[in-house]
Amino acid sequence: MIATRRWILLVVLGLSGGAAYSRPSIHVDTPSPRQDANALPNPKVAFSQPINLQADDKKIFPDPPAEFDTVRKDILRGKIEAVTWDSKTVGTTRHMLVYTPPGYTTDKKYPVLYLLHGIGANEYQWGWAGKPDVVLDNLIADRKAKPMIIVMPNGCAQKDDNPKGNVYASAPAYAVFERDLLNDLIPTIESRYSVSTKRDDRAIAGLSMGGGQSLDFSFAHMDVFGSVGAFSAAPNAYAPEKLLPNPSAARSMKLIYISAGNKDGLFGISQRTHQYLKKNDVPHLWNVDEHGHDRDTWSHNLYEFLQKVFHNKK
Ligand code: FER
């Protein structure tokens, strides 16, 4: 399916001096396609797990205001460009979209959010799932979020990174992306854009597979990422003891934000992560809304996350 025309129009090719590219945009409808797969666990099984709501599984934020993701004509707008990076990990040229905020200037060093998509999708998914450019333009105009760069890479680290066929078979490539991100992509961003390289100015967040990647990679590299957001994390999120064998170390994180809809069959993956953090006194935000595995929960939680990430208060 094709993303909105607006999103396509916003893609400004090649402004960074990097190689520009053009490709069809793809997103998944909700829930993600449920083909049988060799991926473990079986997605059909994963999506039909019972949901056992506990007293602390609560919505902690109201719904965003109306028009939070509507383009406003009266404000300055950021830009999205489609650029590539040279992945030594995969041995190909790979694809990302990069948002720079209104008035982007090399006189400043910006914090960076790496924002990851779900399975069966690509770097265009967030344009449909949360409209990060529109939401952040509006938040910056209202002084509710810091100007930041948002990098939306293709997180499926294999030679053919556009989804087709049995998309769950590509699940292992989402784990390979850890090396691609750390060794190839982050250095590319930090050499091409005017960004802060402090840990607390680097965040990673994502939906579903991207949420699992965000948890797995951030807790494995707490020296690299100061903040993490996991929206409706998929089964690629490691079980808590593997994810965080030394939980007290995670108390140094600036922001840990976990969310899931209480109608999402994958709910238990986020819930077990929250329960482990809580048991081990690791400060975090746990937001349970009324949605399923869908763009409502992703866009609403992105709206909250963008306001909290890179905020000075812990
Ligand atoms: C699975 C169920 C869902 C799985 C991945 C997903 C790797 C991912 C869904 C998404 O990204 O939307 O069993 O296994």
Side-chain angles (χ1 to χ4, degrees):
M1 226 177 274
I2 305 295
T4 61
R5 182 174 298 270
R6 181 196 52 71
W7 181 257
I8 292 169
L9 286 175
L10 276 173
V11 174
V12 181
L13 296 176
L15 283 187
S16 72
Y21 71 93
S22 140
R23 72 193 318 196
S25 59
I26 292 176
H27 74 254
V28 284
D29 274 317
T30 55
S32 293
R34 298 185 187 191
Q35 297 103 320
D36 285 323
N38 298 325
L40 287 174
N42 180 321
K44 273 192 187 145
V45 175
F47 272 116
S48 49
Q49 290 304 300
I51 297 169
N52 296 313
L53 291 176
Q54 304 298 316
D56 62 348
D57 296 337
K58 287 182 303 211
K59 188 170 160 184
I60 59 169
F61 302 115
D63 281 345
E67 319 220 317
F68 78 105
D69 62 354
T70 302
V71 173
R72 277 163 36 185
K73 299 266 184 296
D74 57 330
I75 60 167
L76 293 171
R77 310 277 306 280
K79 288 193 182 79
I80 289 181
E81 48 193 337
V83 289
T84 58
W85 81 95
D86 179 21
S87 167
K88 295 198 172 49
T89 303
V90 183
T92 50
T93 298
R94 305 200 60 247
H95 304 89
M96 62 180 150
L97 302 177
V98 180
Y99 165 93
T100 46
Y104 170 77
T105 165
T106 52
D107 294 342
K108 292 185 188 152
K109 300 262 184 218
Y110 295 85
V112 186
L113 167 62
Y114 294 85
L115 188 60
L116 309 180
H117 61 81
I119 210 161
N122 65 15
E123 68 277 14
Y124 283 88
Q125 188 185 31
W126 268 107
W128 160 79
K131 305 191 204 168
D133 56 324
V134 179
V135 173
L136 186 53
D137 285 346
N138 292 347
L139 285 171
I140 291 171
D142 293 341
R143 300 190 178 282
K144 288 183 174 161
K146 280 198 171 170
M148 67 183 89
I149 290 179
I150 303 183
V151 178
M152 290 164 277
N154 184 299
C156 180
Q158 61 188 18
K159 287 218 157 71
D160 185 354
D161 61 7
N162 235 354
K164 58 174 77 74
N166 173 9
V167 295
Y168 290 94
S170 66
Y174 284 75
V176 174
F177 184 63
E178 179 174 5
R179 282 184 287 127
D180 194 9
L181 174 66
L182 284 139
N183 300 341
D184 303 325
L185 173 54
I186 292 178
T188 303
I189 291 296
E190 296 187 351
S191 68
R192 272 192 208 169
Y193 293 88
S194 185
V195 299
S196 166
T197 55
K198 292 186 194 136
R199 173 198 100 134
D200 285 355
D201 290 332
R202 227 186 262 115
I204 185 167
L207 68 88
S208 202
M209 276 309 263
Q213 287 176 308
S214 298
L215 290 170
D216 295 351
F217 304 168
S218 62
F219 288 141
H221 304 283
M222 287 189 258
D223 53 329
V224 177
F225 301 103
S227 298
V228 57
F231 317 128
S232 324
N236 63 326
Y238 295 136
E241 290 74 16
K242 178 170 178 191
L243 181 68
L244 203 49
N246 173 17
S248 60
R251 292 184 196 137
S252 75
M253 294 286 281
K254 218 171 165 248
L255 173 66
I256 301 171
Y257 185 115
I258 300 173
S259 65
N262 65 16
K263 296 180 183 64
D264 182 352
L266 302 184
F267 181 79
I269 293 159
S270 300
Q271 187 191 43
R272 74 182 181 194
T273 311
H274 150 70
Q275 287 172 350
Y276 181 82
L277 295 174
K278 186 175 175 180
K279 190 178 78 185
N280 289 289
D281 294 319
V282 179
H284 65 287
L285 296 175
W286 168 231
N287 189 35
V288 177
D289 62 27
E290 306 284 319
H291 300 293
H293 200 70
D294 57 44
R295 78 166 296 280
D296 289 330
T297 191
W298 298 330
S299 60
H300 293 187
N301 283 290
L302 178 70
Y303 172 80
E304 293 300 334
F305 184 80
L306 289 174
Q307 294 172 72
K308 287 168 184 62
V309 70
F310 308 131
H311 203 274
N312 294 329
K313 212 171 83 215
K314 199 164 164 179

